[in-house]
Amino acid sequence: MKVYKSILYCVLSVFLSSKIQAQFISIDDAKNASELVNVLTNNSSCLQISNETVKGDTHTSAKNSYGTFTNTSSNFPFKTGIILSSGSSSNASGPFIRDFNDGNNSWLGDTDLNQTLNINSVNATVLEFDFIPLTNSISFNYLLASNEYQDNYPCEFSDGFAFLIKEKGSTNPYQNLAIIPGTTIPVSSFNIHPKIVFNDGCEAKNESYFGQLNTNPNNNSPINYAGQTKILNATSSVIPGKTYHIKLVVADDRFVYYDSAIFIEAASFNSEIDLGEDRLLASNNAICYGENYIIDTQLPPNYSYNWYKDGFLLPLETNPSYTVTSAGTYTVEVTLSPSTCVATKDIKIEYTPQIELKNSSLSLCDFDGNEKETFDLTQADTSIKNNNTSLSEITYYENILDAKNNNNPISNPLHYTNQTLTQTVIAKVTNSYNCAYYAELTLNVLKTDNQLPANIIIAVETTNFGGDNNTATIESISNGDFEFSIDGIFYQKSPEFTKLAPGNYIARARDKSLCTESVPFPFIILDYPRFFTPNGDGYNDYWTIKNLNTLPQATIRIFNRFGKFIKEFQSSNLNWNGTLNGYLLTADDYWFNLIFENGKSIKGHFSLKR
């Protein structure tokens, strides 16, 4: 967009001797439409060109707003090509001179450009032609140069340009190919610029596509524009044999000042073969190890095809597509008809590193005979991953079809119940490139019907007299993959059980590797009252040790707090009524010593209250 600023720019740049000797682009603005298109296509027979037209500056005598350019400077990326400008193309030769540029309100804009960019254009230059592609893709290289790259103009204003394409005769709107890659945003000085600090300025936009400013007085720019983008590529998929119309147009928006130009590289407009993007590790789209990849030209089978890998001909490969099984640089050489021109295209294919998973298995014993067990599938994770910690967490599926389609994953792999006595589930894992790999996990439920109980438990060590906080530790034989229980229902890996209340228990152990169960091993947790009140009211009149009747060989001895022996009785006579030789003893603390049959003893104390 052009705007007339109230600030007077009357001081022009002075040509220094070094600038006079500098290398600038040279412009030939006497070319007709056919000559311009021939430069774009390099007279390629892979495109059938017709109906070329060009129009532009109608008010400047002996000057055109289009032409060809030649460049010998290393400061400009194109050697030759064509230029379309919103001013006289001959003014494009450098160095940059700060000026209003030229233009005229009688030089009209372009309605298709207005509709595409929603602008009100003036001073339009338009190159149009029809073409029939023989391949499935066309593209050309270009850059935008503009005098809008001054002061804070990129924050507010922008000229318009577009590369428009549609099927000839179609009533559909044009498609604009001059867009920022990966977006639908038109390329312009408003949409591509560095951070602007002049006046209030503005933040950078799409700066990675900006090339350079040419406004520095010491910058011997080969072109007479304040700034330019990097080389951009306009590309479009096409259908071989169809007729398309191309319209290349650049114009000012509303105001005729501060011109812009499109530089298009010579020979860059051509039929191309679209093989897709390179599949590289660096871009995280390499082919997964072990997979095949089809390179498809999507071109007619009547063309002639040669395929190469790393420069060597693959003599048996003459089809429009090729199936890749290993890394390399692949080239297709296609002889197109009816023109008999030859088009080539390369694509580089890399593979992700090999991942080796291991099939694994888990086995549980069917101790209850119902043929169902609860498996912790994650116990096999490390084995399946083959100790490769870089892989993702494993997701389990009941079949390979669900695994490959990401359907119905096992929701709780920590508690999975088997469906059959022997069942295979699928483990799915991905690497850092999101490649999926699969392994089998076999679940075995082992029958125990004919197994006899084994003498697995040696003893049970208990702590007693702890209220509801007693412990029991099951001692077993040394060899075996054991799990333990004291209620016959819940089993655990640890042989120690805590927070046990007084009572009778049965210890059990089972060997998961041999699917054998132990002979039940009874044990007791003892407790005693911390006080008793022998007053004859029928409540708490006697002191005893709970459950002692299960240990008939135990002996209890009672002492007063000074250590004087008071009473001894066997477990068959459990009660003491607080007397000595028929006399009532005084309220006090008393001690006891419980002696088991094996000689082990436990001491404790209690209170007699009256």
Side-chain angles (χ1 to χ4, degrees):
M1 184 183 295
K2 302 295 183 261
V3 63
Y4 186 86
K5 301 294 182 177
S6 60
I7 302 174
L8 180 63
Y9 295 110
C10 60
V11 179
L12 301 180
S13 299
V14 177
F15 288 94
L16 301 178
S17 59
S18 60
K19 291 187 176 182
I20 295 175
Q21 299 174 6
Q23 294 175 317
F24 309 119
I25 64 170
S26 59
I27 304 294
D28 181 353
D29 67 351
K31 301 295 186 183
N32 61 35
S34 295
E35 292 171 323
L36 294 177
V37 175
N38 284 341
V39 170
L40 283 185
T41 64
N42 197 29
N43 294 305
S44 172
S45 60
C46 293
L47 285 168
Q48 298 178 25
I49 304 294
S50 61
N51 300 323
E52 305 97 315
T53 64
V54 64
K55 61 181 179 179
D57 188 353
T58 58
H59 78 283
T60 304
S61 176
K63 289 189 176 182
N64 285 317
S65 55
Y66 49 83
T68 61
F69 69 87
T70 304
N71 164 54
T72 58
S73 170
S74 60
N75 293 330
F76 193 74
F78 297 146
K79 296 301 182 184
T80 60
I82 72 169
I83 177 176
L84 306 178
S85 174
S86 62
S88 296
S89 60
S90 59
N91 293 338
S93 182
F96 168 67
I97 301 173
R98 189 176 182 116
D99 194 357
F100 288 133
N101 302 138
D102 55 358
N104 191 286
N105 287 321
S106 64
W107 178 6
L108 301 180
D110 183 82
T111 56
D112 290 325
L113 181 66
N114 294 344
Q115 183 178 3
T116 301
L117 302 182
N118 193 27
I119 64 174
N120 185 12
S121 62
V122 294
N123 295 359
T125 297
V126 182
L127 175 64
E128 298 184 73
F129 55 91
D130 297 334
F131 73 97
I132 301 174
L134 298 180
T135 61
N136 56 8
S137 178
I138 55 102
S139 73
F140 42 85
N141 301 324
Y142 69 96
L143 64 81
L144 165 66
S146 177
N147 281 320
E148 297 286 4
Y149 283 117
Q150 300 182 60
D151 302 336
N152 66 340
Y153 297 172
C155 303
E156 302 180 45
F157 308 111
S158 179
D159 292 339
F161 83 97
F163 296 161
L164 305 177
I165 183 174
K166 67 177 179 179
E167 290 186 34
K168 186 175 182 180
S170 172
T171 58
N172 293 328
Y174 280 105
Q175 175 189 359
N176 180 23
L177 306 183
I179 54 176
I180 295 172
T183 75
T184 58
I185 301 172
V187 172
S188 69
S189 58
F190 180 78
N191 291 324
I192 298 177
H193 62 75
K195 183 176 181 178
I196 306 299
V197 297
F198 187 86
N199 288 346
D200 293 335
C202 57
E203 294 299 318
K205 275 189 179 181
N206 301 297
E207 188 175 12
S208 61
Y209 299 107
F210 182 71
Q212 66 185 44
L213 290 173
N214 301 321
T215 53
N216 189 315
N218 295 323
N219 185 347
N220 293 330
S221 169
I223 59 175
N224 183 19
Y225 292 96
Q228 63 200 55
T229 66
K230 291 183 178 178
I231 296 176
L232 299 171
N233 178 259
T235 185
S236 177
S237 297
V238 291
I239 299 174
K242 280 189 176 293
T243 302
Y244 292 87
H245 185 72
I246 279 280
K247 184 173 184 177
L248 309 181
V249 53
V250 60
D252 295 333
D253 183 13
R254 291 183 292 170
F255 303 100
V256 300
Y257 304 105
Y258 302 107
D259 296 333
S260 296
I262 305 304
F263 291 85
I264 308 175
E265 185 177 24
S268 67
F269 182 78
N270 211 333
S271 282
E272 291 194 347
I273 304 170
D274 185 6
L275 300 181
E277 60 185 351
D278 289 339
R279 305 298 296 270
L280 307 176
L281 292 168
S283 54
N284 205 38
N285 67 339
I287 307 301
C288 297
Y289 180 88
E291 292 186 1
N292 295 340
Y293 180 72
I294 298 176
I295 307 174
D296 192 352
T297 64
Q298 302 182 53
L299 295 177
N302 60 307
Y303 290 177
S304 176
Y305 297 87
N306 287 322
W307 288 92
Y308 300 82
K309 179 185 179 185
D310 298 327
F312 293 95
L313 178 67
L314 303 172
L316 301 180
E317 301 298 332
T318 58
N319 293 319
S321 64
Y322 175 75
T323 301
V324 174
T325 59
S326 61
T329 298
Y330 292 84
T331 304
V332 63
E333 182 182 80
V334 186
T335 302
L336 310 173
S337 61
S339 71
T340 68
C341 75
V342 176
T344 63
K345 187 68 174 180
D346 295 337
I347 183 172
K348 187 174 183 180
I349 305 295
E350 294 179 346
Y351 276 80
T352 63
Q354 181 179 4
I355 299 296
E356 292 185 358
L357 301 182
K358 291 175 60 178
N359 293 335
S360 188
S361 65
L362 294 173
S363 298
L364 291 177
C365 302
D366 186 25
F367 289 111
D368 56 13
N370 69 353
E371 300 184 354
K372 300 289 185 181
E373 295 298 327
T374 300
F375 288 84
D376 178 2
L377 305 183
T378 64
Q379 290 182 345
D381 284 2
T382 301
S383 173
I384 290 173
K385 291 183 181 181
N386 206 12
N387 295 309
N388 188 340
T389 58
S390 68
L391 301 177
S392 70
E393 292 185 2
I394 293 179
T395 303
Y396 290 94
Y397 299 83
E398 290 188 335
N399 58 73
I400 188 63
L401 184 61
D402 279 349
K404 290 189 174 182
N405 292 325
N406 294 319
N407 291 331
N408 307 313
I410 293 174
S411 59
N412 191 355
L414 294 172
H415 300 90
Y416 176 74
T417 301
N418 63 292
Q419 307 301 309
T420 59
L421 283 174
T422 300
Q423 179 184 354
T424 298
V425 297
I426 304 300
K428 180 178 181 179
V429 67
T430 58
N431 62 8
S432 59
Y433 299 97
N434 202 35
C435 296
Y437 297 90
Y438 307 89
E440 294 182 347
L441 174 59
T442 302
L443 308 179
N444 298 304
V445 177
L446 307 177
K447 301 293 289 183
T448 61
D449 293 347
N450 299 323
Q451 297 291 342
L452 297 176
N455 292 317
I456 296 174
I457 299 176
I458 300 173
V460 178
E461 291 291 330
T462 62
T463 62
N464 298 274
F465 307 151
D468 290 338
N469 197 29
N470 300 288
T471 63
T473 303
I474 301 174
E475 296 182 4
S476 61
I477 59 178
S478 59
N479 296 321
D481 183 15
F482 297 126
E483 58 182 6
F484 305 91
S485 174
I486 59 173
D487 61 4
I489 299 175
F490 297 102
Y491 281 80
Q492 64 183 42
K493 188 69 176 176
S494 170
E496 182 181 60
F497 296 83
T498 60
K499 297 182 180 181
L500 301 181
N504 295 301
Y505 297 87
I506 296 178
R508 292 177 174 85
R510 56 192 188 190
D511 190 334
K512 296 189 291 181
S513 61
L514 299 177
C515 291
T516 57
E517 294 185 275
S518 70
V519 175
F521 194 98
F523 70 96
I524 64 170
I525 298 293
L526 300 175
D527 202 9
Y528 64 94
R530 300 307 187 262
F531 68 91
F532 76 115
T533 57
N535 55 13
D537 63 359
Y539 296 99
N540 207 25
D541 286 334
Y542 297 93
W543 184 88
T544 186
I545 295 179
K546 298 176 183 178
N547 303 313
L548 192 60
N549 59 337
T550 61
L551 300 173
Q553 302 303 316
T555 300
I556 299 175
R557 293 176 181 173
I558 298 175
F559 304 86
N560 67 12
R561 63 190 179 90
F562 301 106
K564 179 181 179 180
F565 173 74
I566 302 296
K567 176 74 174 180
E568 177 180 300
F569 54 87
Q570 302 294 321
S571 55
S572 57
N573 180 18
L574 299 177
N575 300 325
W576 180 49
N577 60 5
T579 65
L580 176 61
N581 299 324
Y583 292 97
L584 299 177
L585 294 180
T586 60
D588 205 345
D589 287 340
Y590 291 84
W591 292 81
F592 71 89
N593 191 6
L594 172 60
I595 304 170
F596 296 97
E597 182 181 12
N598 61 5
K600 179 181 177 181
S601 64
I602 300 176
K603 293 181 179 181
H605 65 88
F606 60 94
S607 297
L608 188 158
K609 297 182 179 181
R610 294 193 182 276

